[in-house]
C-alpha cells in the first residue's frame, strides 16, 4: 500500500471538512491511506497496551537482575568453600574420608566442615538441598580449589622473593606413609626487616624409575 502525504488541501479536509458531498468518498479514500491516518490508527490500537519493545526491555532487565543475584550467591558459596580449604591446609588436616556417602558417619574433614557450617548458614543449607547437579563437593572440585589457592599463594611468595635482597632454600628429604621418598622445599628470606619462611611444597622421587634408568 502506498502512503500519501497530506497537502494543504488535505489539511482543510481534516480540519474544516468538505464543501461538497460528492467529493466525500474520494477524499475519505485518499485520507485512509495517508501516513498521518495510519500512524493515528496504530496509536489508537496500542492505547492502554504494553508495547513490545517495553516488554523486551523489561524482560532483559529482569534477566540481568536474576543473573546478578545468582552470581552473588555463587560467589558467596565459593568464598565459604575457599575458607574451608584454607582452614584445613592451615591445620594440616586431610580433606577426604574413606566413606563419603550421605549415610556415612564420617565423610571426611572437608564435607563434615561444610555440613557443620550449613547447620547455621542458610546459604549453604539451601544450596545443598536444592542443587542436584553442581554441589561443588566432589573430589575434582576439592582439587581445583586446592590448586587455585596454591597458585595464588605461590604467586604472592614469588613476588616477595623478587623484592628480597637475600634468599635461602631449605631442602629436607623425608619418607611418606607409602614409603615414597619426597623432599620438602622451603624459602627463607627477609621482608620488611622480618625473617619469613614459606613452604613451597613436596617434590616426589620415583626411586624405582631412577633405578630402572641406571
Amino acid at each position: 500500500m502506498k502512503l500519501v502525504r497530506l497537502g494543504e488541501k488535505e489539511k482543510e479536509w481534516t480540519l474544516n471538512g468538505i464543501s461538497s458531498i460528492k467529493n466525500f468518498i474520494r477524499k475519505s479514500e485518499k485520507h485512509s491511506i495517508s501516513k498521518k491516518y495510519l500512524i493515528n490508527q496504530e496509536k489508537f490500537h496500542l492505547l492502554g497496551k504494553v508495547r513490545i519493545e517495553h516488554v523486551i526491555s523489561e524482560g532483559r532487565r529482569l534477566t540481568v537482575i536474576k543473573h546478578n543475584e545468582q552470581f552473588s550467591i555463587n560467589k558467596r558459596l565459593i568464598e565459604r568453600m575457599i575458607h574451608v580449604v584454607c582452614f584445613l591446609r592451615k591445620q594440616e588436616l586431610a580433606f577426604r574420608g574413606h566413606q563419603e556417602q550421605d549415610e556415612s558417619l564420617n565423610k571426611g574433614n572437608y564435607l563434615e566442615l561444610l555440613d557443620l557450617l550449613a547447620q547455621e548458614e542458610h546459604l549453604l543449607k539451601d544450596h545443598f538441598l536444592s542443587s542436584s547437579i553442581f554441589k561443588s563437593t566432589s573430589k575434582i572440585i576439592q582439587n581445583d580449589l586446592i590448586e587455585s589457592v596454591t597458585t595464588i599463594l605461590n604467586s604472592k611468595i614469588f613476588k616477595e622473593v623478587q623484592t628480597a635482597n637475600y634468599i635461602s632454600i631449605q631442602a629436607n628429604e623425608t619418607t611418606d606413609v607409602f614409603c615414597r621418598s619426597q623432599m620438602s622445599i622451603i624459602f627463607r628470606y627477609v621482608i620488611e626487616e622480618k625473617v619469613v619462611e614459606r613452604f613451597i611444597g613436596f617434590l616426589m622421587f620415583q626411586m624405582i624409575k631412577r633405578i630402572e634408568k641406571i
Side-chain angles (χ1 to χ4, degrees):
M1 180 183 293
K2 184 178 180 181
L3 299 180
V4 176
R5 186 177 296 276
L6 294 176
E8 292 297 328
K9 294 183 178 180
E10 294 299 327
K11 291 181 179 180
E12 294 179 359
W13 143 254
T14 57
L15 296 176
N16 303 323
I18 57 176
S19 58
S20 176
I21 193 64
K22 66 179 181 180
N23 296 326
F24 176 77
I25 296 178
R26 180 180 60 84
K27 288 183 176 293
S28 63
E29 290 178 348
K30 187 175 182 181
H31 176 71
S32 65
I33 60 175
S34 65
K35 182 177 180 180
K36 183 176 182 180
Y37 173 81
L38 295 176
I39 291 175
N40 289 335
Q41 279 289 98
E42 179 185 9
K43 292 180 178 180
F44 174 76
H45 288 295
L46 293 176
L47 183 64
K49 299 180 180 179
V50 180
R51 298 181 64 88
I52 184 63
E53 59 266 27
H54 295 167
V55 174
I56 295 175
S57 177
E58 179 67 10
R60 289 177 178 174
R61 186 183 70 85
L62 295 177
T63 300
V64 171
I65 292 176
K66 184 176 180 180
H67 171 78
N68 291 338
E69 290 177 349
Q70 188 61 48
F71 177 83
S72 178
I73 292 175
N74 293 340
K75 181 180 178 181
R76 290 165 60 191
L77 287 171
I78 293 297
E79 287 177 350
R80 299 298 183 274
M81 295 167 188
I82 290 177
H83 292 161
V84 172
V85 170
C86 293
F87 173 80
L88 294 177
R89 296 199 67 174
K90 179 181 179 182
Q91 300 302 118
E92 299 182 359
L93 298 174
F95 278 68
R96 305 191 62 196
H98 296 292
Q99 300 291 335
E100 297 185 348
Q101 292 80 6
D102 291 338
E103 62 275 8
S104 176
L105 296 178
N106 187 353
K107 295 177 289 186
N109 292 321
Y110 180 80
L111 297 181
E112 291 292 343
L113 189 52
L114 285 177
D115 287 344
L116 178 63
L117 293 176
Q119 294 180 14
E120 299 295 334
E121 190 165 357
H122 293 291
L123 177 69
L124 285 172
K125 183 178 181 179
D126 294 341
H127 171 70
F128 292 141
L129 292 177
S130 61
S131 178
S132 59
I133 299 177
F134 179 73
K135 288 188 176 181
S136 64
T137 56
S138 67
K139 63 179 182 180
I140 297 177
I141 299 300
Q142 293 181 40
N143 292 336
D144 287 342
L145 290 175
I146 294 172
E147 184 177 353
S148 298
V149 172
T150 301
T151 301
I152 296 299
L153 290 177
N154 286 342
S155 176
K156 180 180 179 180
I157 292 173
F158 292 147
K159 288 182 179 179
E160 291 180 347
V161 168
Q162 292 176 350
T163 60
N165 294 326
Y166 303 96
I167 178 174
S168 66
I169 301 177
Q170 302 177 9
N172 298 315
E173 184 179 356
T174 60
T175 302
D176 62 12
V177 294
F178 297 103
C179 297
R180 293 179 301 188
S181 297
Q182 58 184 3
M183 180 174 291
S184 62
I185 304 298
I186 298 175
F187 289 171
R188 195 166 187 263
Y189 48 90
V190 177
I191 292 292
E192 297 180 355
E193 300 182 354
K194 181 180 179 181
V195 178
V196 295
E197 291 185 350
R198 306 300 189 197
F199 172 72
I200 303 302
F202 290 104
L203 296 180
M204 305 298 297
F205 291 91
Q206 302 295 338
M207 301 302 296
I208 297 178
K209 291 185 178 180
R210 293 176 62 182
I211 293 175
E212 288 178 350
K213 289 181 180 180
I214 296 175

